[in-house]
Amino acid sequence: MTSMLTDRDLELVLQTVQRLTGIRFRSDQTDAIRATILRVMDRVEVRSPVQFARLIEHDQQIYHELVEEITVGETYFFREPKHFEFVRRRVIPELRMRRGDQTMLHAWSAACASGEEAYSLAIVCEETHQPASILGTDISREAIANAREATYRRWSFRGEAMSHVGPYVTQCDNDCLRLNPLIRKRVQFAQLNLASDGYPSGASRTQNLDLIFCRNVLIYFDASTNAAIADRLFRCLRPGGWLVTASGDPILSDMADFVPTMTEFGSFYQRRLTLLPDMKSAKADPSAAPRLTNKAKREPPPPPQPASSTPRGSDSIVRQIQALSRSDQEAALEVCSTAVEKNPLVAELHFLQAKLLLTTGSPTGAFLAVQRALFLDRSAIMVHFLCGSIQHKRGQLDAARKHFFNARELCQRIPPDQMVPYSDRATATQIIADVNACLARIDQ
Ligand SMILES: C[S@@+](CC[C@H](N)C(=O)[O-])C[C@H]1O[C@@H](n2cnc3c(N)ncnc32)[C@H](O)[C@@H]1O
């Protein structure tokens, strides 16, 4: 039996542990961690601390023997309930506004322990009818195995948890509760070390995330490890995505380019909705935008304006969004929504956003966006056309007819072979034919 571990030996082992896992122990934990290391060395029958340090680096079995001993897997369902309220009231509605009602929420519970946090997120998504793909990861193999098992003692449901989880569990023989498949199937688990540089990556499914919960783990790391983790987590998020940490966790605002939201129940960090480089020159130029006067609301619509009435620079972003929408409509919608936020006076961006919201399954969002486009540019033929299509879809047939008539009337005021602004290079004649077809469908 190994009975001694000098301070130097202990330091050597702990340095290796910190390099591999990020975990650093406080001085008041020295006795406890010394005893733990001696216990593991005995179990794996290694007497030399130097050899043990080498083995935890190169022998996966021994590394995990130690990891299981030094990690603290304390967790429970709906821990810090306000964080889940934040997801329900802010993260999900915001996501739907940007990408449409049917969009998939990509979430990650990083350092999920035995899975309660990841499953709590799955329950929020179930309750809000939010399609979701949720990843739970932890450094501990044992924790991941338990998470996949999804069977919990009553202690995991302390506090308010049972009121949320109750409908989704079934009693097992041994006074445990097992989560139902409905919730289990929403979450995938994998082992992942936050102190490694294995993320963001496609292989670990940690790219383009909308939400990361990384709670009650950063307290085990030092500032430089946390800075590296904050930077990697930031890069895992899509623009507009959120990182949620626990109320007792270190503040990360200065460690990556987050926009922090400080509340009395914790700090949340959002990845900024960024502009594509070209948009910098397209910042809303009020002098170039149509004037908003009461006149704009009167019928008939004003004469059509050439497409060049949009602010300089926005043509390029419009083209980028159109090109992107051919391969990835959700990504195009995200870029478009960012552009709209930064350039609220560019009618064509609202028009594109409406088109993308309609095709990605959010008719209500599309309706609101096309109304904004119309308000900004009542002379845009294609805005009336789209408005007609959306109103038709919503069953508002009179409103749909009115917009199709407007589109046709505006087309008739320009030469038949002139290209219609905001259209896919269609001429006035072609748009009139499309309008007539739509009107015929309404009256069928
Ligand atoms: C206290 S639990 C937090 C569980 C959950 N996030 C919560 O807040 O309830 C801390 C978890 O962090 C994990 N952990 C520690 N170091 C880690 C690392 N380097 N990478 C990933 N997980 C780690 C532990 O295994 C443990 O399951």
Side-chain angles (χ1 to χ4, degrees):
M1 162 152 179
T2 319
S3 55
M4 274 280 296
L5 202 57
T6 65
D7 287 349
R8 257 183 76 185
D9 294 339
L10 181 65
E11 187 54 29
L12 173 72
V13 175
L14 291 185
Q15 273 175 7
T16 310
V17 167
Q18 187 175 354
R19 185 159 42 77
L20 296 178
T21 67
I23 300 173
R24 195 182 60 157
F25 294 90
R26 299 186 310 268
S27 53
D28 62 307
Q29 294 174 307
T30 302
D31 290 346
I33 186 63
R34 193 193 302 270
T36 302
I37 289 170
L38 282 170
R39 196 168 57 246
V40 176
M41 285 175 70
D42 264 352
R43 203 182 318 135
V44 298
E45 298 177 345
V46 175
R47 288 181 188 286
S48 149
V50 176
Q51 195 195 357
F52 185 66
R54 203 173 314 121
L55 283 171
I56 51 179
E57 187 149 12
H58 298 292
D59 184 322
Q60 280 295 298
Q61 184 60 34
I62 291 177
Y63 166 76
H64 280 288
E65 288 275 350
L66 185 63
V67 163
E68 304 309 340
E69 292 280 346
I70 62 173
T71 49
V72 181
E74 166 69 5
T75 185
Y76 48 96
F77 283 94
F78 287 89
R79 182 179 193 173
E80 297 206 66
K82 289 263 173 31
H83 292 184
F84 297 92
E85 268 314 293
F86 182 77
V87 173
R88 195 187 297 268
R89 294 188 188 282
R90 175 88 186 255
V91 177
I92 292 177
E94 215 176 69
L95 186 74
R96 287 177 177 168
M97 273 302 287
R98 276 207 311 278
R99 295 217 305 263
D101 295 344
Q102 295 309 311
T103 195
M104 184 75 107
L105 169 84
H106 294 275
W108 177 22
S109 162
C112 65
S114 37
E116 289 90 328
E117 181 178 89
Y119 288 129
S120 301
L121 286 172
I123 289 170
V124 170
C125 292
E126 178 61 27
E127 287 175 341
T128 52
H129 309 290
Q130 173 59 51
S133 140
I134 298 165
L135 172 70
T137 65
D138 200 280
I139 195 173
S140 156
R141 278 181 184 170
E142 203 174 288
I144 291 302
N146 291 336
R148 289 193 178 120
E149 191 51 40
T151 303
Y152 299 99
R153 295 193 182 284
R154 301 234 166 228
W155 188 231
S156 284
F157 305 96
R158 74 195 84 152
E160 302 175 14
M162 214 47 190
S163 63
H164 296 286
V165 193
Y168 306 106
V169 285
T170 307
Q171 177 83 45
C172 305
D173 303 341
N174 50 0
D175 201 29
C176 287
L177 296 167
R178 183 153 204 232
L179 276 172
N180 296 342
L182 177 72
I183 300 301
R184 289 208 312 267
K185 73 172 187 219
R186 281 184 181 263
V187 188
Q188 306 289 312
F189 291 99
Q191 200 201 321
L192 186 143
N193 177 0
L194 285 171
S196 76
D197 59 5
Y199 66 100
S201 70
S204 62
R205 286 172 293 143
T206 50
Q207 284 177 331
N208 297 323
L209 298 170
D210 302 304
L211 174 65
I212 302 174
F213 265 47
C214 183
R215 306 186 307 162
N216 301 300
V217 65
L218 302 173
I219 42 172
Y220 299 111
F221 308 141
D222 67 10
S224 69
T225 306
N226 279 335
I229 291 175
D231 172 62
R232 284 192 290 263
L233 293 179
F234 173 81
R235 287 187 284 114
C236 289
L237 289 171
R238 276 181 187 245
W242 285 96
L243 167 64
V244 174
T245 59
S247 48
D249 282 334
I251 301 291
L252 303 179
S253 323
D254 296 338
M255 296 185 175
D257 191 20
F258 290 118
V259 182
T261 295
M262 305 296 186
T263 70
E264 76 276 19
F265 49 89
S267 321
F268 309 117
Y269 306 92
Q270 188 170 33
R271 180 167 176 167
R272 209 180 290 277
L273 282 160
T274 44
L275 281 180
L276 293 185
D278 298 37
M279 280 311 284
K280 290 194 179 122
S281 60
K283 281 250 164 82
D285 170 4
S287 65
R291 271 190 298 141
L292 307 177
T293 63
N294 289 340
K295 208 171 128 206
K297 292 193 177 131
R298 282 210 306 269
E299 299 292 343
Q305 301 294 314
S308 60
S309 65
T310 50
R312 258 177 306 117
S314 59
D315 284 354
S316 151
I317 183 75
V318 164
R319 277 198 303 279
Q320 288 180 52
I321 294 166
Q322 284 166 335
L324 188 56
S325 70
R326 283 177 211 117
S327 56
D328 185 345
Q329 298 213 329
E330 288 219 336
L333 178 56
E334 188 128 356
V335 174
C336 187
S337 302
T338 306
V340 162
E341 266 178 43
K342 302 284 174 188
N343 301 270
L345 299 179
V346 180
E348 190 168 9
L349 288 173
H350 291 279
F351 165 75
L352 274 181
Q353 190 186 33
K355 262 173 75 172
L356 288 163
L357 282 165
L358 192 64
T359 47
T360 53
S362 180
T364 312
F367 176 68
L368 296 173
V370 82
Q371 292 298 314
R372 291 192 294 269
L374 200 60
F375 185 66
L376 289 165
D377 187 357
R378 287 191 70 81
S379 68
I381 295 167
M382 295 312 292
V383 174
H384 283 282
F385 188 100
L386 181 61
C387 221
S389 308
I390 292 172
Q391 293 290 36
H392 187 187
K393 268 213 163 75
R394 299 173 79 229
Q396 303 294 318
L397 301 188
D398 285 344
R401 270 191 212 94
K402 190 189 87 188
H403 286 294
F404 283 129
F405 289 148
N406 284 346
R408 191 166 59 190
E409 193 190 320
L410 287 164
C411 279
Q412 285 161 347
R413 293 192 206 171
I414 60 175
D417 55 355
Q418 182 172 314
M419 230 152 61
V420 174
Y422 302 0
S423 77
D424 206 1
R425 306 178 71 78
T427 62
T429 308
Q430 287 167 327
I431 297 297
I432 290 175
D434 289 349
V435 165
N436 289 339
C438 290
L439 284 167
R441 270 200 298 277
I442 291 179
D443 293 325
Q444 255 170 19

